[in-house]
């Protein structure tokens, strides 16, 4: 019997109980995914057809959970990036930002190349006929150049308050008797559409954090405000995530009820579905894992195993932005430097969309194969560049890839309406590619933290200031040496 047991009289907690207690939320969230799948299939196979209103009632708890998470995005994103950069000196901020951007750019390019290789090898669209689904997708007439220019415009919002609610986009208006008139001769107008301008908020937060860092002592009060706000958002996140098992369960169940006959859909789009799934699996557990190992000399799989709750939430919500608070909390619990986590994760959730880039490259070439359009090497390169740019511009919300898909189709010379060909399985593929996006962001944060250890070790006080209360362990007098 140990001295501590003899002194306190407390019986030590069995290991299995400690393991279950510390991973209870993860188990419940994963159980929510499987439970939602089982519930959805059970209800769908009932003899009574489900109305749209009845499906809405089933999805209602999941919608509430999603709304709670989305409510945290803006204050958490701004406070996290600003406080993380403000607590670092400028040279460290540059190094961390450079490493993160190089990692994101490398993985995105690898994802696009992998997707093109797979779709060109398997050729899922050759010799098949798939009918578009009318009225299931909203498309708009727009040039690729306009989409890219809007991407840059949104980096510099004219009103930061407006950026929390609206995004800018170009609108092309057809002239009178526009039959046969090219899009380049349409009248150029613009509008602000509902939806958070995450790119603009990230840019503003980076600039503000850099400014606070340069102000040194004068900037401490403002830095303290953002640090307190970031900590408050993480505490609220810890409350909200206990609803994740229930929310994920009802979101998955409702989506399965909305789905048409999956067997019939797979009969038409089965090879396309399997090509995308193969690409996502190889990229997530192959390409990224190899990059992670070559950079850190560590295996990625133990870290992926600790992200079960994050990945299950990403799959259930289909939104990398909504999953961001849970990802930050998970990495904090892994012991990743909070300054790295609070900078790399929000930026990654905004610009790093590996799964989306791979999916859009595969989808564009799949539709070209269906239409018997031969693509030259130049066209394939153009698809690669456009898919990469489109993935950066894709919002971290469910099925945002369909919107930027129009831009990729325009590169190949295909009509925007062809996006309706793949919409039948997009909702499910969207959840898998979001899961890969989130996993890539998390592994990228661990990679950047590993590469930045020496740079960050000289500023341990800054790490303590940014740390969450549960990360700070005060030693008792008898434990101090």
């Amino acid at each position: 019997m140990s001295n501590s047991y003899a002194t306190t009289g407390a019986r030590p907690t069995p290991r299995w109980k400690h393991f279950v207690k510390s991973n209870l939320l993860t188990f419940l969230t994963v159980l929510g995914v499987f439970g939602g799948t089982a519930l959805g299939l059970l209800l769908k196979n009932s003899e009574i057809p489900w109305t749209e209103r009845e499906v809405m009632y089933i999805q209602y708890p999941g919608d509430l959970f999603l709304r709670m998470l989305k409510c945290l995005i803006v204050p958490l994103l701004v406070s996290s990036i600003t406080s993380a950069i403000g607590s670092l000196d400028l040279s460290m901020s540059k190094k961390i930002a450079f490493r993160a951007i190089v990692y994101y750019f490398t993985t995105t390019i690898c994802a696009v190349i992998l997707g093109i290789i797979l779709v060109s090898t398997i050729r899922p669209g050759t010799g098949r006929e798939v009918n578009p689904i009318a009225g299931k997708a909203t498309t708009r007439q727009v040039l690729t150049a306009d989409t890219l220019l809007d991407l840059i415009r949104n980096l510099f919002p004219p009103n930061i308050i407006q950026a929390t609610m609206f995004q800018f986009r170009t609108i092309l208006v057809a002239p009178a008797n526009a039959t046969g008139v090219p899009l380049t001769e349409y009248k150029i107008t613009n509008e602000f559409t509902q939806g958070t301008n995450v790119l603009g908020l990230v840019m503003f937060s980076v600039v503000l954090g850099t400014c606070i860092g340069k102000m040194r002592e004068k900037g401490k009060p403002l830095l303290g405000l953002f640090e307190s706000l970031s900590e408050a958002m993480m505490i609220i996140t810890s409350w909200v995530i206990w609803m994740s098992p229930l929310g994920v369960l009802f979101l998955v169940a409702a989506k399965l009820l909305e789905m048409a006959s999956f067997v019939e859909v797979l009969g038409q789009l089965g090879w396309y579905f399997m090509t995308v799934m193969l690409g996502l699996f190889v990229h997530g557990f192959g390409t990224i894992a190899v990059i992670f190992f070559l950079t850190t000399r560590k295996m990625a799989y133990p870290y992926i195993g600790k992200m079960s709750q994050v990945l299950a939430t990403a799959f259930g919500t289909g939104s990398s932005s909504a999953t961001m608070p849970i990802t930050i909390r998970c990495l904090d619990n892994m012991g990743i430097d909070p300054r790295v986590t609070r900078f790399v994760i929000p930026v990654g959730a905004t610009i790093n969309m590996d799964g989306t880039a791979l999916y859009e490259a595969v989808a564009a070439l799949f539709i070209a194969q269906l239409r018997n359009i031969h693509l030259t090497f130049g066209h394939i390169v153009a698809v690669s560049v456009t898919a990469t740019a489109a993935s950066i511009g894709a919002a971290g919300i469910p099925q945002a890839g369909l919107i930027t898909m129009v831009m990729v189709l325009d590169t190949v010379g295909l009509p925007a309406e062809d996006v309706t060909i793949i919409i039948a399985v997009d909702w499910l593929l969207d959840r898998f590619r979001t899961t890969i996006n989130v996993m890539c962001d998390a592994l990228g944060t661990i990679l950047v933290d590993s590469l930045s250890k020496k740079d960050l070790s000289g500023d341990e006080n800054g790490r303590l200031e940014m740390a969450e209360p549960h990360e700070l362990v005060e030693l008792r007098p008898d434990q101090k040496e």
Side-chain angles (χ1 to χ4, degrees):
M1 183 179 297
S2 65
N3 292 333
S4 61
Y5 175 73
T7 304
T8 62
R11 190 176 297 277
T13 305
R15 287 186 178 181
W16 69 269
K17 284 188 177 180
H18 177 73
F19 178 78
V20 170
K21 185 178 179 180
S22 59
N23 294 278
L24 178 61
L25 186 58
T26 300
F27 291 145
L28 291 176
T29 307
V30 174
L31 188 63
V33 173
F34 289 106
T37 304
L39 178 62
L41 293 175
L42 182 66
L43 296 177
K44 189 173 181 63
N45 291 328
S46 62
E47 297 179 359
I48 304 173
W50 290 82
T51 65
E52 183 179 350
R53 174 164 290 275
E54 289 170 337
V55 173
M56 182 269 289
Y57 288 146
I58 292 176
Q59 188 172 330
Y60 185 71
D63 282 339
L64 291 180
F65 170 63
L66 206 51
R67 290 166 75 92
M68 291 178 191
L69 285 178
K70 288 182 177 180
C71 180
L72 298 173
I73 292 173
V74 171
L76 179 61
L77 185 145
V78 174
S79 62
S80 295
I81 296 180
T82 304
S83 58
I85 295 181
S87 63
L88 294 167
D89 62 49
L90 193 57
S91 61
M92 262 193 284
S93 297
K94 287 180 179 178
K95 290 178 181 178
I96 291 174
F98 177 77
R99 288 164 183 157
I101 291 172
V102 168
Y103 169 79
Y104 290 149
F105 182 77
T106 302
T107 55
T108 302
I109 291 295
C110 289
V112 172
I113 293 174
L114 174 62
I116 290 175
I117 291 173
L118 288 176
V119 75
S120 300
T121 304
I122 300 173
R123 300 192 65 81
T126 303
R128 292 175 178 82
E129 186 174 343
V130 180
N131 297 321
I133 301 174
K136 291 290 186 178
T138 302
T139 59
R140 63 189 177 98
Q141 300 286 359
V142 67
L143 293 173
T144 301
D146 294 327
T147 307
L148 293 174
L149 291 175
D150 285 347
L151 183 67
I152 299 173
R153 288 188 184 104
N154 280 315
L155 278 171
F156 307 99
N159 186 322
I160 195 62
I161 304 300
Q162 184 187 44
T164 63
M165 297 175 282
F166 297 98
Q167 297 183 18
F168 179 93
R169 75 174 185 181
T170 298
I171 299 292
L172 300 181
V173 179
N177 301 322
T179 305
V181 177
L183 286 176
T184 52
E185 297 182 15
Y186 277 35
K187 182 180 178 181
I188 303 174
T189 60
N190 59 72
E191 66 176 3
F192 282 92
T193 60
Q194 192 170 3
T196 304
N197 178 8
V198 180
L199 283 174
L201 293 177
V202 167
M203 175 61 75
F204 174 80
S205 302
V206 169
V207 173
L208 180 59
T210 303
C211 178
I212 291 174
K214 289 183 70 68
M215 291 173 67
R216 299 184 183 276
E217 290 301 319
K218 289 184 179 180
K220 287 288 177 119
L222 187 56
L223 177 62
L225 169 66
F226 284 104
E227 288 177 346
S228 297
L229 179 59
S230 176
E231 184 177 329
M233 289 301 101
M234 291 310 300
I235 293 174
I236 296 175
T237 298
S238 68
W239 298 342
V240 171
I241 61 174
W242 280 101
M243 191 182 173
S244 60
L246 197 65
V248 166
L249 186 147
F250 285 104
L251 283 171
V252 173
K255 277 299 178 183
L256 285 170
L257 284 176
E258 290 178 352
M259 180 183 63
S261 173
F262 196 61
V263 175
E264 181 181 339
V265 169
L266 280 183
Q268 292 185 317
L269 297 170
W271 281 103
Y272 162 73
F273 182 86
M274 294 307 297
T275 302
V276 176
M277 287 297 298
L278 177 62
L280 293 176
F281 182 85
V282 172
H283 181 68
F285 296 93
T287 308
I288 296 178
V290 170
I291 293 174
F292 187 88
F293 176 77
L294 292 176
T295 309
T296 66
R297 300 300 175 185
K298 298 176 183 177
M299 296 297 291
Y301 306 112
Y303 293 103
I304 296 174
K306 296 177 182 178
M307 300 176 197
S308 303
Q309 182 202 347
V310 174
L311 301 181
T313 305
F315 181 85
T317 61
S319 170
S320 53
S321 294
T323 313
M324 184 177 67
I326 300 176
T327 309
I328 292 176
R329 184 176 182 272
C330 176
L331 292 175
D332 281 347
N333 292 336
M334 287 187 196
I336 306 303
D337 193 299
R339 294 167 293 175
V340 177
T341 303
R342 281 153 180 72
F343 173 60
V344 179
I345 286 295
V347 172
T350 306
I351 68 172
N352 183 46
M353 301 287 176
D354 289 2
T356 304
L358 184 147
Y359 150 81
E360 293 190 347
V362 171
L365 297 186
F366 167 72
I367 294 173
Q369 291 170 4
L370 284 176
R371 301 300 188 197
N372 292 318
I373 296 177
H374 175 70
L375 298 180
T376 63
F377 180 75
H379 281 126
I380 294 177
V381 172
V383 168
S384 304
V385 175
T386 312
T388 303
S391 68
I392 296 173
I397 58 175
Q399 293 184 296
L402 279 180
I403 300 170
T404 54
M405 188 71 228
V406 175
M407 180 171 126
V408 183
L409 291 179
D410 179 63
T411 304
V412 192
L414 293 168
E417 289 73 20
D418 276 2
V419 77
T420 59
I421 293 174
I422 58 174
I423 199 172
V425 293
D426 181 77
W427 71 271
L428 184 56
L429 288 175
D430 178 55
R431 277 160 165 69
F432 283 108
R433 65 179 183 256
T434 299
T435 304
I436 295 299
N437 290 342
V438 171
M439 188 178 80
C440 182
D441 293 345
L443 289 177
T445 306
I446 299 170
L447 182 149
V448 172
D449 178 74
S450 178
L451 294 178
S452 306
K453 287 289 187 186
K454 292 182 180 179
D455 299 318
L456 294 168
S457 60
D459 188 23
E460 189 61 26
N461 290 332
R463 186 188 190 283
L464 295 178
E465 289 177 3
M466 286 293 296
E468 301 295 337
H470 68 271
E471 297 179 272
L472 303 176
V473 180
E474 183 178 355
L475 297 178
R476 296 197 307 270
D478 60 328
Q479 292 177 307
K480 296 180 180 179
E481 295 182 358

